[in-house]
Amino acid sequence: MLSFLAQSACRGNRPSRFSSLRAYPRPALVAKLLRERNVARFMVAPSGFGKSTLALEYAETVFAFDHVFWIDCASPCFLRDLDARGIVDGLVEVDDQSFLAVFEDVPPLDSLRAELFGAVLDDLLDRGCEVLITCTPAADVFADQIDRMLVGAGDLLLSDEEVDFARLPSDIAEISAHDVARCRRVAALAWGESDSPAFLELAASEELPADVMAALFALLCLGSGSLSDARRIVRIDDEVAELLERSYVYVGVDRVRGTFCAAPFGVPQIAQAFSDRLANLGASAHEDAGAFVLRLAEALMDAGRCARACEVMRCLASAHVRCTWLASQSRRLRDAACLLNARTLYASLDSRQLDAQQHLEEAVRCALLGENVAGSLAARRALACGADPAQQAVAHLVQLSGSVGEAAAACVSAIRELGDGPFPHLNAMACVVDPAFDEDILPAQAWLMAFEGAELAEGALLCAAKMLDDAGGSEGLLAVQLAERVAAAVARDVSRAFAATGSLTLSQALAACSFSRVLERGFLDMPGLDPRCAMAANRLERALSMQRMECERARARKLRSRASFESTHPDAFRKVAWGTAMPATPVPPRLTVNLFGRLEVKVGDVAVESGHLSRQKVRSLLALLVLNRGRDVSRDRLAAQLWPESSASCRRKNFYATWSQLRSALSTPEGDCPYLVRHQNGVCIEARLLASDVLELEEVCRALLFNRPGRGGWGHLFARVEDSFADELLPGDDGCDVIDGLREDCKNRLVDALVAASGKLLDSGDPREGLWFARAALSRDDSREDVYVALMRAQIASLQRTAALQTYFACRRYLADDLGIDPSAETMRLYRSIIEVEERV
């Protein structure tokens, strides 16, 4: 016993298990413990709430680690000495003065041992000693004791100031401490490593009743929702709910609202902590582990959290259960645009245990994500598993969508054989996927003959989306008529589906977004979709786009890894997979250069903040290359434009120095610059890697000049003009004549487009929107008579005659004072039309 106490005592020294104090003091809790030093003070909370560190801070603050005994009650020696009734005598024998005794991690005690431990506490208090006890809620056998002080889980939660202790300034600016949820104020979660599984492993190791542990596990897996939904999976009575709300605050139970919102633990962390107890947890819910996990996944699917449902199945279910669940939920996952997680779940299974339909579902997922190689592989597996004719048809379509050359010809041949028999729609779908499939018939005509008049299936909707995105590429009335019929079928089916269910599938969403885009381009004049339907479609399309970008990033990482391996492990006999040449280097990220307003340069998603770009000549050179849109420009010409007053040799020297600084600013972390290209006599910027608001300006001006406004007008184009082109091109870079000239040219082109758009909107019977465009034109250039005329026309059409007269007088003053000329005949005609109306009135 004495040897045990000697190991537990820390008289005059800091305990060895706490070799260094944490940097986050909690003086408010220490002050609370100091208020009642003559009673036993219990700190009752799950592991990770900071009970031991608070006791350690109290021992240092009040006792300076002198006359302190730290007793590890998790050691079996504690129970041995408790049964022997020698703990108090052993402590007094070591230190006969008043001391602090810290009983850490007291385990659950039966009634006899609880009585013995209570006697120990009373004896120490009677001798004038102080006592601190830490334990979990399940081990708190003195909960009914009145003469004690309790510091519970709620008391140990971090305050706003303590939450900010370990946060970076950027995190504090993003979300204030006041907005941090209660479930995330546990010390181990806020101050520890967020991805560490230690907290959950300690939670899983607690000695809790089976129903409480099952409820805790279920709420962690579900993450958030209503308690009524969770009660359909596990038993959560009022007593269990009260315990979870009071002590296990990291699951976020709120009995008043009937909800829960747990801290954001990842499913792999939960699985690592609870996998050994999964069988017992299922038994507490009166079912086996597989059925228990299936019910959790089904609840997540019903709540619309498909990605987490896939993670729960992948990390917690057996291979057989995963295979069965994926087969039954593949279509539902695809409709919800949950493709990447479904692919991860598919990859966790042995492909030899899957049937043709499961391989085919994977092929369709890959095709939607743009993963042509993986999609073709899954399609071949489906064909090898004895697919029926309908499955063969879909597999060949997937192969055709991602194949070229002889492989595409083989798919075409296979589809022709199947399409002549029981699948009359197959040829139409193949025509849309590959227009070269049948040169005698337009893809739109084939689609209409096969699908028009019937409810559109998933494949038909995807084909319609592709055709509508391509609408406007063909010339003539026939193309417009076909597009109108396809768009009408899409609008009909999508509107019906949303009205019936309040939601859309992925194929319906893609078709709906393509329909909205073709209306925005002004190619068709049709009523748009219901705004709520359009928003639902946009959400699903964005989800798919994010997953496609993730696939692209994964491919880029794989290519970089492969290139690195091949460069360090040369092998003359290495063969490239699938018989196609894989690029030696990955595709560089896109370069974005925005010149209107403040110069903005980004490589991928990262802003370029190089000091070189602060130099005006470097910015001017970059602007000239961007404005030439990838065309070669002579080095001597650029040098003469940037340094017109210097000699030829000085120009050349200055140009190479500026070129080098621009390359350094745009270089990738690997040290190369794929965006700037230098030939023998000229230089250019790589147009394939360039995105710029200059290109957006051309697109907007072209649409305003040559398209016709749709039924909803051009509100979206006006918003783009006001958002992207509110300022001039590089307004702060003065002194370069060529930049000044290009700035004036861009302004004139935009004003020309705004004036033309105002006239088109007036002709189409939308004077209010025409007035917007005319005012925008005048705000950018008040030195053009045609702009004043456009504004007068719009004001007269909008019955704003007083404003039109004011515009006329402003125009006449400018022409007379600045130019010394009279207004044109058109201006005078508009003026007389206003005056004549006034006289008649």
Side-chain angles (χ1 to χ4, degrees):
M1 179 187 69
L2 292 178
S3 61
F4 163 61
L5 289 176
Q7 292 173 0
S8 302
C10 55
R11 183 182 180 187
N13 295 286
R14 185 175 298 172
S16 59
R17 61 181 295 185
F18 301 104
S19 57
S20 63
L21 284 173
R22 56 184 172 77
Y24 314 120
R26 308 191 71 178
L29 290 177
V30 173
K32 181 176 181 177
L33 292 175
L34 278 170
R35 291 180 196 141
E36 299 185 49
R37 304 175 65 176
N38 58 341
V39 298
R41 286 159 291 179
F42 284 77
M43 290 177 279
V44 182
S47 300
F49 279 66
K51 305 185 299 292
S52 298
T53 48
L54 176 59
L56 182 65
E57 184 178 354
Y58 182 85
E60 182 190 39
T61 303
V62 180
F63 287 84
F65 292 120
D66 194 18
H67 304 288
V68 174
F69 289 94
W70 200 280
I71 303 171
D72 182 11
C73 300
S75 170
C77 299
F78 167 73
L79 296 178
R80 179 200 64 190
D81 294 339
L82 181 63
D83 293 338
R85 296 172 173 81
I87 292 180
V88 175
D89 294 338
L91 295 175
V92 173
E93 181 181 347
V94 175
D95 191 343
D96 58 356
Q97 301 183 31
S98 298
F99 53 78
L100 169 67
V102 180
F103 294 89
E104 183 187 25
D105 292 337
V106 175
L109 303 174
D110 56 29
S111 58
L112 177 58
R113 284 175 170 167
E115 184 178 351
L116 292 175
F117 187 56
V120 169
L121 301 181
D122 292 338
D123 197 356
L124 290 174
L125 292 171
D126 291 341
R127 293 173 182 267
C129 300
E130 294 188 34
V131 178
L132 292 179
I133 303 100
T134 72
C135 64
T136 61
D140 186 15
V141 295
F142 299 98
D144 297 331
Q145 185 172 331
I146 300 176
D147 56 338
R148 71 167 187 168
M149 179 182 182
L150 175 65
V151 178
D155 301 313
L156 291 167
L157 295 180
L158 304 185
S159 64
D160 291 349
E161 294 77 10
E162 291 168 342
V163 166
D164 285 338
F165 280 160
R167 296 205 300 164
L168 297 174
S170 58
D171 298 331
I172 297 174
E174 182 179 356
I175 179 173
S176 66
H178 180 72
D179 296 327
V180 175
R182 190 168 182 263
C183 63
R184 306 186 67 173
R185 292 177 179 266
V186 179
L189 300 181
W191 291 342
E193 297 179 5
S194 58
D195 57 348
S196 174
F199 180 82
L200 286 176
E201 289 175 356
L202 289 173
S205 64
E206 281 193 43
E207 299 183 29
L208 289 173
D211 57 340
V212 177
M213 184 61 74
L216 187 68
F217 171 75
L219 297 183
L220 288 172
C221 288
L222 295 175
S224 63
S226 66
L227 287 175
S228 59
D229 292 338
R231 287 188 173 105
R232 298 191 184 101
I233 303 172
V234 291
R235 177 178 173 271
I236 305 178
D237 56 22
D238 292 341
E239 184 179 355
V240 172
E242 192 274 334
L243 173 64
L244 294 176
E245 181 182 33
R246 182 186 71 249
S247 298
Y248 297 87
V249 294
Y250 53 85
V251 295
V253 171
D254 188 338
R255 290 184 297 157
V256 175
R257 297 180 179 179
T259 61
F260 68 95
C261 183
F265 296 109
V267 176
Q269 295 175 272
I270 299 173
Q272 181 178 345
F274 288 89
S275 58
D276 294 338
R277 308 190 61 170
L278 190 57
N280 295 332
L281 295 174
S284 66
H286 307 290
E287 54 193 353
D288 59 22
F292 187 37
V293 174
L294 277 174
R295 294 181 65 185
L296 289 171
E298 186 63 29
L300 289 167
M301 292 290 290
D302 292 340
R305 305 179 65 190
C306 303
R308 193 169 181 90
C310 290
E311 284 290 284
V312 166
M313 294 304 301
R314 183 177 66 86
C315 298
L316 295 171
S318 64
H320 173 71
V321 175
R322 292 200 304 271
C323 182
T324 304
W325 186 82
L326 182 60
S328 63
Q329 299 294 330
S330 288
R331 178 62 183 269
R332 193 174 173 186
L333 292 170
R334 187 168 73 248
D335 288 345
C338 181
L339 305 179
L340 271 184
N341 293 89
R343 287 199 64 202
T344 304
L345 188 58
Y346 170 88
S348 70
L349 300 170
D350 187 349
S351 61
R352 294 170 295 182
Q353 299 177 352
L354 304 177
D355 57 19
Q357 182 61 33
Q358 290 170 297
H359 290 306
L360 192 62
E361 291 285 350
E362 173 68 5
V364 173
R365 286 192 290 267
C366 293
L368 289 170
L369 290 170
E371 294 284 298
N372 294 330
V373 174
S376 298
L377 175 61
R380 285 202 300 270
R381 286 174 175 171
L383 295 173
C385 289
D388 58 36
Q391 293 170 339
Q392 293 179 40
V394 178
H396 289 312
L397 274 173
V398 171
Q399 290 178 317
L400 178 61
S401 66
S403 302
V404 293
E406 296 180 359
C411 297
V412 167
S413 177
I415 292 174
R416 287 187 189 279
E417 294 179 4
L418 289 170
D420 294 334
F423 308 107
H425 298 172
L426 186 58
N427 282 337
M429 297 175 69
C431 283
V432 176
V433 172
D434 185 0
F437 177 78
D438 193 338
E439 298 178 355
D440 297 331
I441 186 170
L442 290 173
Q445 288 177 316
W447 187 91
L448 287 169
M449 289 188 296
F451 297 111
E452 191 175 35
E455 183 177 351
L456 302 181
E458 179 184 29
L461 286 166
L462 294 175
C463 290
K466 186 177 188 302
M467 283 189 293
L468 292 177
D469 282 333
D470 296 338
S474 302
E475 298 295 335
L477 183 61
L478 180 63
V480 176
Q481 291 176 338
L482 289 173
E484 285 180 346
R485 293 165 65 188
V486 173
V490 168
R492 178 201 65 204
D493 279 27
V494 169
S495 298
R496 286 178 182 174
F498 186 79
T501 63
S503 61
L504 297 175
T505 65
L506 178 60
S507 56
Q508 292 168 344
L510 295 177
C513 290
S514 299
F515 172 79
S516 298
R517 282 193 292 268
V518 81
L519 295 187
E520 289 178 0
R521 293 199 301 269
F523 185 72
L524 297 178
D525 185 9
M526 300 175 64
L529 296 172
D530 180 85
R532 294 173 300 171
C533 177
M535 290 178 61
N538 287 332
R539 281 196 296 269
L540 284 175
E541 188 184 43
R542 283 197 302 270
L544 178 61
S545 299
M546 295 296 293
Q547 294 175 77
R548 284 175 175 170
M549 287 190 289
E550 180 60 32
C551 288
E552 292 177 2
R553 288 192 289 266
R555 281 198 299 269
R557 288 193 296 268
K558 185 176 180 180
L559 289 174
R560 284 195 294 268
S561 176
R562 181 189 181 97
S564 175
F565 178 82
E566 291 182 354
S567 64
T568 56
H569 299 76
D571 186 357
F573 300 97
R574 182 181 291 116
K575 301 297 181 183
V576 180
W578 316 123
T580 59
M582 183 176 293
T585 57
V587 177
R590 183 174 291 273
L591 172 67
T592 302
V593 182
N594 293 327
L595 301 178
F596 287 88
R598 186 176 63 88
L599 177 67
E600 181 183 28
V601 183
K602 291 194 297 185
V603 175
D605 296 329
V606 180
V608 176
E609 299 179 352
S610 172
H612 295 306
L613 292 179
S614 62
R615 303 185 178 184
Q616 182 174 349
K617 295 299 183 182
V618 177
R619 296 198 304 272
S620 299
L621 176 59
L622 176 61
L624 291 174
L625 294 174
V626 172
L627 289 165
N628 279 280
R629 296 178 290 279
R631 295 189 295 268
D632 280 350
V633 187
S634 168
R635 293 197 295 269
D636 293 337
R637 177 184 172 188
L638 287 173
Q641 291 173 341
L642 293 173
W643 296 277
E645 299 178 356
S646 301
S647 62
S649 59
C650 289
R651 291 176 185 170
R652 194 173 297 110
K653 181 179 180 181
N654 291 337
F655 175 81
Y656 286 124
T658 306
W659 177 266
S660 176
Q661 293 170 0
L662 183 57
R663 281 185 59 89
S664 299
L666 302 182
S667 294
T668 61
E670 291 77 15
D672 57 345
C673 180
Y675 310 109
L676 300 179
V677 181
R678 191 175 76 177
H679 303 294
Q680 183 175 2
N681 295 315
V683 294
C684 67
I685 196 165
E686 182 57 67
R688 293 174 299 176
L689 303 176
L690 176 66
S692 174
D693 51 7
V694 174
L695 306 177
E696 185 182 359
L697 175 67
E698 291 187 354
E699 178 187 347
V700 170
C701 292
R702 189 163 48 246
L704 294 176
L705 287 170
F706 303 112
N707 291 352
R708 61 180 182 181
R711 179 167 299 183
W714 273 336
H716 62 288
L717 292 179
F718 184 80
R720 290 174 67 181
V721 169
E722 291 299 306
D723 291 343
S724 301
F725 311 111
D727 294 324
E728 292 183 331
L729 184 143
L730 296 179
D733 289 5
D734 297 327
C736 181
D737 293 339
V738 66
I739 293 294
D740 295 340
L742 291 171
R743 181 185 300 122
E744 188 68 19
D745 178 64
C746 289
K747 182 184 72 173
N748 289 336
R749 281 190 291 165
L750 180 57
V751 171
D752 289 341
L754 292 173
V755 170
S758 177
K760 289 183 178 182
L761 289 164
L762 293 181
D763 296 339
S764 64
D766 196 347
R768 293 292 183 181
E769 194 164 348
L771 186 60
W772 296 349
F773 281 88
R775 285 174 176 165
L778 185 63
S779 68
R780 285 163 174 79
D781 194 346
D782 59 356
S783 64
R784 290 175 42 167
E785 188 177 5
D786 62 334
V787 176
Y788 287 102
V789 169
L791 181 56
M792 289 176 64
R793 286 188 62 203
Q795 288 170 333
I796 293 171
S798 301
L799 301 180
Q800 299 180 8
R801 290 177 295 174
T802 303
L805 284 174
Q806 294 173 349
T807 303
Y808 165 74
F809 290 126
C811 176
R812 190 176 68 175
R813 280 195 302 271
Y814 168 75
L815 294 175
D817 296 344
D818 292 10
L819 302 181
I821 59 177
D822 295 327
S824 66
E826 174 65 15
T827 307
M828 294 304 300
R829 184 189 65 78
L830 290 173
Y831 171 69
R832 283 193 296 269
S833 69
I834 303 172
I835 298 301
E836 290 171 0
V837 170
E838 291 290 343
E839 290 176 352
R840 287 198 298 271
V841 172

